[in-house]
Amino acid sequence: MKAEIIAVGTEMLMGQIVNTNAPFIARQLNELGIEHYYETVVGDNPERLVELTQIAESRSDMIIYSGGIGPTQDDLTKQAIAEYLNEELIYDQECLEQIKQYYQDRHQSMSSNNLQMALTYKNGQSLKNETGQACGSLIYKKGCLYVFLPGFPDELEPMFINEVKPYLFEHLSNKQVLASRFLNFFGIGEAALTSRLENLISKQSNPTIAPYASKSVVTLRLTAQGENHAVTDKLLDQAQEEILDLVGEYYYGSGYNYLPMDALFDYLNQGGKTIAFAESLTGGLAAHLLVNHEGSSKIFKGSTVSYSEYAKAHVIGVSQATLDQEGMVSESCARQMAELTCSDYGADYAISFTGVAGPDKMEGQEVGTVYCGFASQGQSTQVKRYHINGNRSAIRLKVIYQAVLDFIQEKS
Amino acid sequence: MKAEIIAVGTEMLMGQIVNTNAPFIARQLNELGIEHYYETVVGDNPERLVELTQIAESRSDMIIYSGGIGPTQDDLTKQAIAEYLNEELIYDQECLEQIKQYYQDRHQSMSSNNLQMALTYKNGQSLKNETGQACGSLIYKKGCLYVFLPGFPDELEPMFINEVKPYLFEHLSNKQVLASRFLNFFGIGEAALTSRLENLISKQSNPTIAPYASKSVVTLRLTAQGENHAVTDKLLDQAQEEILDLVGEYYYGSGYNYLPMDALFDYLNQGGKTIAFAESLTGGLAAHLLVNHEGSSKIFKGSTVSYSEYAKAHVIGVSQATLDQEGMVSESCARQMAELTCSDYGADYAISFTGVAGPDKMEGQEVGTVYCGFASQGQSTQVKRYHINGNRSAIRLKVIYQAVLDFIQEKS
């Protein structure tokens, strides 16, 4: 089966929006083993959309459209292709009710344009939109499957995963189930991880193992298929065990988009403990990342961002002798920052970060040198020294991730 | 003139890379007034690339290829199209020398594959690559212009701006110059700004006025053309004046990607002043945004992120009476946070942020209610109350931008 992707929207041709839907759909198609060779962007123009559809039909058996199913007059994807295919559109009643309800709940009047979001192919089927109003739709006709998805990634992604993927899987593979698991690694690059797993990845076909890197973290997506979830779970467990035997030292947890700060949140939340930070080079980023986690107020007491020597001495209370003799980038400074902050904020734990983010050396120390202190109420403090590679922002992010994961390991 | 963009690279079809080149080129074409209706992604496959080129020729007069001009065996864009067009490729001597020099300087041996990066159309012209090794090329044949660019945005963007754009401009508009200016606005949405400038934008053709929104800020890009820069400057000045007459209240500065934190940095840096923050709901984001600005250590003393009542009382020193009687989200708490932090950090100024980011109400206050205090050494403190719309992260970002711009206005 050959698929292609057509993204509809003048805002993309204007360069106002980057088409992130195509790469998302591409990864999903790869996972399903569906080939695809072309991705096209076209404006909100029914004539050009139909011309493009004719070209696509001549070389593919599945056309996935993203965008142009919203409430405005420009949103004409379903309608233009229905007219071209000579197919009838009807209202999906459930979707229609939800749209009406939405406006009733807000005591707002609804323009009749909004109803077009509930249109679906009479001879096809609707695709439920869990995160928005416009329903998707698909229709199979004369050897080609036409799939209509919303343009917003927040709506398209769950619709593809929960509605389109099961449909394709059922029609492609005799009603087996498909299950994914995400294993997350830090401290190793994508190339190095892949190379250490080379034999495993190449011999492995169920589950498939796909690596990808983002935000300094490498993730392996394992996708298994089988008769039922007990079978896929077992396949995933086995593969996970084999992987962790080889690269377990870099593994910190499983889950989609599960970052080291999520691991810290879970660790503290499970133990009912609280934490504070003493930040210098990280400049508030550690606090910001933790606060992004919903529910963080239960476990996070606060952070002192001492971005000057004065603040280290007068706000945190690092001794002037340490600052004068050992400097801000020192074992002793990191230790005092962590201990004083732990006590000032009344937290169970504190982590401190002091070092050189660059671009220039500081106190004779190389860019990327960072000391982190791990303090606990009533226990002795550990200090670690790191050498982190990268530019300013990479150093900040990577040292936070490294320290947080080391902290969990120390305390576990 | 109608252009279209063809991005070449299997890694895009695999979903490993997002095609950001197309939106970049799209914006450039818009600025030049060149229409374009299609953007396509295709893999590293000469046959499909030629098929696509045939389709593109039938509907466009200019085809811009990105990708496939590097050193690997997969990089075949120039070669495939040269064969199709029956055109000869030769080596660009300057490019060839640079490639050889690169390896000599590093004492590395060079594989002969690398030489293909210097290929250019004998009957066309080379496009210099300032930031990489592979030269671009263009050729005009039978009413169609074929332009070959690298796939890396870092190489493509300067090559488009410095090589392709002047070529196009010269061939399109009789050797005039082109100049852009970016005006930045906060506190008004893109739709509202555009609507207030509707008459101006529609009657205006030189400079053109293009709005776009990003990170809670709206930017107008003005692009003027004229005989020389004195002419374009005058046109831009006039248009800017007309725009600011209508919407000047929301304007905070000019420059590409110039955000409110940049305005704060410039304000403090010009006056030789320092600042500290007292953050609650913003959770370190204010500090993080300022620290992202290179040179921030000159003007930024630090921030106390008091994410708990305990921290407000014990780290910052807000009076227990205020916390008990008026609460954390109060005028008095914001005032004390700013004043105490200003003094603790030895800063000239301090801004405090305390409020409700949501998802739930706090102390009976609505989500989006925020108090900000503006303290100065030796002057009285102002406190502002805001109501900000949006989700948690939008509220955080928008209140920081709003407070920072109000602070500059208060102090100027």
Side-chain angles (χ1 to χ4, degrees):
Chain A
M1 186 172 208
K2 284 185 196 161
E4 69 179 274
I5 304 168
I6 297 180
V8 187
T10 302
E11 66 280 12
M12 275 174 289
L13 287 187
M14 298 294 287
Q16 293 166 336
I17 287 184
V18 177
N19 180 13
T20 57
N21 289 328
F24 169 81
I25 297 170
R27 291 191 295 272
Q28 295 291 325
L29 292 174
N30 292 338
E31 215 168 271
L32 288 160
I34 298 173
E35 295 173 293
H36 83 293
Y37 298 120
Y38 304 96
E39 297 169 4
T40 314
V41 175
V42 66
D44 300 304
N45 177 295
E47 205 172 290
R48 282 192 281 274
L49 183 59
V50 168
E51 276 171 25
L52 214 54
T53 299
Q54 289 171 323
I55 294 169
E57 282 168 341
S58 73
R59 61 194 184 191
S60 303
D61 339 284
M62 171 157 90
I63 307 175
I64 302 174
Y65 302 87
S66 64
I69 69 168
T72 77
Q73 292 185 336
D74 285 345
D75 289 312
L76 288 167
T77 308
K78 287 177 199 165
Q79 294 93 318
I81 303 303
E83 194 181 327
Y84 162 65
L85 293 177
N86 202 19
E87 285 289 337
E88 193 181 337
L89 293 174
I90 55 169
Y91 288 113
D92 178 279
Q93 287 306 318
E94 196 185 330
C95 181
L96 203 62
E97 289 311 314
Q98 281 173 354
I99 295 168
K100 287 179 180 165
Q101 194 65 44
Y102 178 90
Y103 286 92
Q104 269 176 29
D105 289 351
R106 281 158 185 75
H107 309 289
Q108 289 173 10
S109 65
M110 181 187 72
S111 98
S112 60
N113 260 355
N114 284 286
L115 298 180
Q116 76 184 25
M117 291 194 287
L119 287 175
T120 189
Y121 282 77
K122 190 182 175 190
N123 297 322
Q125 73 177 61
S126 295
L127 304 170
K128 207 173 157 68
N129 189 338
E130 284 175 16
T131 48
Q133 291 186 38
C135 74
S137 188
L138 61 79
I139 182 167
Y140 184 80
K141 188 167 186 180
K142 292 186 191 160
C144 188
L145 180 67
Y146 305 80
V147 183
F148 302 87
L149 301 177
F152 293 116
D154 286 354
E155 300 180 16
L156 177 139
E157 296 185 6
M159 190 183 287
F160 195 97
I161 289 172
N162 299 324
E163 299 277 303
V164 181
K165 209 167 167 180
Y167 175 93
L168 293 174
F169 200 69
E170 197 179 316
H171 288 75
L172 289 169
S173 67
N174 304 319
K175 314 208 179 217
Q176 293 208 314
V177 304
L178 199 67
S180 288
R181 187 177 296 176
F182 300 85
L183 307 181
N184 302 295
F185 301 83
F186 180 77
I188 185 168
E190 185 181 4
L193 187 81
T194 310
S195 132
R196 287 177 65 167
L197 296 173
E198 203 171 356
N199 288 334
L200 196 60
I201 292 177
S202 61
K203 77 160 204 217
Q204 189 81 40
S205 62
N206 186 24
T208 57
I209 303 173
Y212 60 95
S214 161
K215 299 173 193 160
S216 293
V217 159
V218 185
T219 299
L220 294 177
R221 185 184 55 230
L222 280 50
T223 306
Q225 47 181 293
E227 285 154 45
N228 54 51
H229 282 292
V231 173
T232 54
D233 280 354
K234 200 174 160 193
L235 288 165
L236 292 169
D237 288 345
Q238 281 169 350
Q240 176 168 348
E241 204 181 309
E242 287 185 69
I243 290 166
L244 297 190
D245 275 350
L246 293 166
V247 289
E249 63 202 284
Y250 303 103
Y251 174 71
Y252 68 86
S254 70
Y256 180 69
N257 203 19
Y258 187 82
L259 294 170
M261 252 334 165
D262 300 306
L264 179 66
F265 178 87
D266 287 345
Y267 173 75
L268 295 168
N269 199 34
Q270 278 154 23
K273 301 287 189 184
T274 60
I275 199 163
F277 297 133
E279 305 191 54
S280 177
L281 83 156
T282 53
L285 180 60
H288 172 59
L289 292 173
L290 192 50
V291 164
N292 268 344
H293 201 297
E294 223 167 284
S296 53
S297 56
K298 277 186 295 183
I299 55 106
F300 182 51
K301 291 285 191 173
S303 175
T304 298
V305 183
S306 55
Y307 211 63
S308 51
E309 184 171 328
Y310 185 92
K312 285 184 187 68
H314 293 85
V315 181
I316 295 186
V318 176
S319 77
Q320 199 59 50
T322 290
L323 294 170
D324 291 344
Q325 288 153 30
E326 305 184 44
M328 294 186 282
V329 184
S330 67
E331 196 270 350
S332 171
C333 185
R335 179 183 301 275
Q336 289 177 51
M337 284 170 71
E339 288 177 355
L340 292 162
T341 298
C342 193
S343 141
D344 283 353
Y345 282 86
D348 296 308
Y349 303 117
I351 304 178
S352 66
F353 303 87
T354 183
V356 193
D360 303 316
K361 280 189 180 188
M362 221 173 82
E363 301 178 348
Q365 306 256 28
E366 296 293 335
V367 171
T369 306
V370 186
Y371 289 87
C372 292
F374 304 156
S376 317
Q377 293 283 7
Q379 284 178 38
S380 66
T381 301
Q382 291 102 46
V383 178
K384 288 199 169 246
R385 185 183 191 210
Y386 299 113
H387 288 287
I388 312 282
N389 293 320
N391 61 20
R392 276 159 66 89
S393 57
I395 288 171
R396 286 191 178 116
L397 187 66
K398 282 155 83 173
V399 79
I400 291 170
Y401 284 176
Q402 187 67 62
V404 153
L405 294 174
D406 286 347
F407 168 83
I408 296 171
Q409 200 166 40
E410 290 276 346
K411 301 297 170 195
S412 294
Chain B
M1 186 170 209
K2 282 184 198 163
E4 69 179 274
I5 304 167
I6 297 179
V8 187
T10 303
E11 66 281 10
M12 275 175 289
L13 287 187
M14 296 295 285
Q16 292 165 337
I17 287 184
V18 176
N19 181 13
T20 57
N21 289 329
F24 169 81
I25 297 169
R27 291 190 296 271
Q28 295 291 326
L29 293 173
N30 291 338
E31 217 167 87
L32 288 160
I34 298 172
E35 293 172 294
H36 83 293
Y37 297 121
Y38 303 97
E39 297 169 4
T40 313
V41 174
V42 66
D44 300 305
N45 177 297
E47 204 171 291
R48 281 193 281 274
L49 184 58
V50 169
E51 275 171 28
L52 214 55
T53 298
Q54 290 170 322
I55 294 170
E57 282 168 341
S58 73
R59 61 193 184 192
S60 304
D61 338 287
M62 171 157 87
I63 307 175
I64 302 173
Y65 302 87
S66 65
I69 68 168
T72 76
Q73 291 185 336
D74 284 345
D75 290 312
L76 289 167
T77 307
K78 287 176 196 164
Q79 295 92 318
I81 303 302
E83 194 182 328
Y84 163 65
L85 293 176
N86 201 18
E87 286 288 336
E88 194 183 336
L89 293 174
I90 55 170
Y91 288 112
D92 178 281
Q93 286 307 317
E94 195 185 332
C95 181
L96 203 62
E97 290 311 315
Q98 280 173 355
I99 294 168
K100 288 179 180 164
Q101 194 65 45
Y102 178 90
Y103 286 92
Q104 269 175 30
D105 289 352
R106 283 161 185 72
H107 310 290
Q108 289 172 10
S109 66
M110 182 186 70
S111 98
S112 60
N113 260 354
N114 284 285
L115 298 179
Q116 74 183 27
M117 292 194 287
L119 287 175
T120 187
Y121 282 79
K122 188 183 175 188
N123 296 322
Q125 72 177 61
S126 295
L127 304 169
K128 207 174 156 68
N129 189 339
E130 286 176 14
T131 48
Q133 291 186 40
C135 74
S137 188
L138 60 79
I139 181 167
Y140 185 80
K141 186 166 187 181
K142 292 186 190 159
C144 188
L145 180 67
Y146 304 80
V147 183
F148 301 88
L149 302 176
F152 294 116
D154 287 355
E155 300 180 17
L156 178 139
E157 296 185 7
M159 189 183 286
F160 196 98
I161 289 172
N162 299 325
E163 299 278 303
V164 181
K165 209 166 166 179
Y167 176 94
L168 293 174
F169 201 67
E170 196 180 316
H171 287 75
L172 289 169
S173 68
N174 304 319
K175 315 206 180 215
Q176 295 208 315
V177 304
L178 200 65
S180 287
R181 186 177 296 178
F182 299 85
L183 307 180
N184 302 295
F185 300 84
F186 179 77
I188 185 168
E190 184 182 6
L193 187 83
T194 311
S195 134
R196 287 177 67 166
L197 297 172
E198 203 171 356
N199 289 333
L200 196 61
I201 292 177
S202 62
K203 78 160 204 219
Q204 189 80 41
S205 63
N206 186 22
T208 56
I209 303 173
Y212 60 95
S214 163
K215 299 173 193 158
S216 294
V217 158
V218 185
T219 299
L220 293 178
R221 185 185 56 233
L222 280 52
T223 306
Q225 47 180 293
E227 286 155 43
N228 54 51
H229 282 293
V231 173
T232 54
D233 281 353
K234 200 174 160 194
L235 287 167
L236 292 170
D237 288 345
Q238 281 168 350
Q240 177 168 347
E241 203 181 311
E242 287 184 70
I243 289 166
L244 297 190
D245 276 349
L246 293 167
V247 290
E249 64 202 284
Y250 302 103
Y251 174 72
Y252 68 85
S254 69
Y256 180 69
N257 202 19
Y258 187 80
L259 294 170
M261 254 330 167
D262 299 307
L264 180 67
F265 179 87
D266 287 346
Y267 173 75
L268 295 168
N269 198 35
Q270 280 154 23
K273 300 287 189 184
T274 59
I275 199 164
F277 297 133
E279 304 191 55
S280 178
L281 83 157
T282 54
L285 180 60
H288 172 59
L289 291 173
L290 191 51
V291 164
N292 268 344
H293 201 297
E294 223 167 283
S296 54
S297 57
K298 278 186 293 184
I299 55 106
F300 182 52
K301 290 286 193 173
S303 175
T304 298
V305 183
S306 56
Y307 211 62
S308 51
E309 185 172 327
Y310 185 93
K312 287 184 184 68
H314 292 84
V315 182
I316 296 187
V318 176
S319 77
Q320 198 60 51
T322 290
L323 294 171
D324 290 343
Q325 288 152 31
E326 304 183 46
M328 295 186 281
V329 185
S330 67
E331 195 271 350
S332 171
C333 185
R335 177 182 303 276
Q336 290 177 49
M337 284 170 69
E339 288 177 353
L340 292 162
T341 298
C342 193
S343 140
D344 282 353
Y345 282 85
D348 296 307
Y349 302 116
I351 304 179
S352 66
F353 304 87
T354 182
V356 192
D360 303 315
K361 282 188 178 186
M362 220 172 83
E363 301 177 348
Q365 307 255 28
E366 295 293 336
V367 171
T369 306
V370 187
Y371 290 87
C372 292
F374 303 156
S376 316
Q377 292 283 8
Q379 284 178 38
S380 66
T381 301
Q382 291 102 43
V383 178
K384 289 200 169 245
R385 185 183 193 208
Y386 299 111
H387 288 286
I388 312 282
N389 293 320
N391 61 21
R392 276 160 67 91
S393 57
I395 288 172
R396 288 192 176 115
L397 188 66
K398 282 155 85 172
V399 79
I400 291 169
Y401 284 177
Q402 187 67 60
V404 152
L405 295 174
D406 286 347
F407 167 84
I408 296 171
Q409 199 167 39
E410 289 277 344
K411 301 296 170 197
S412 294

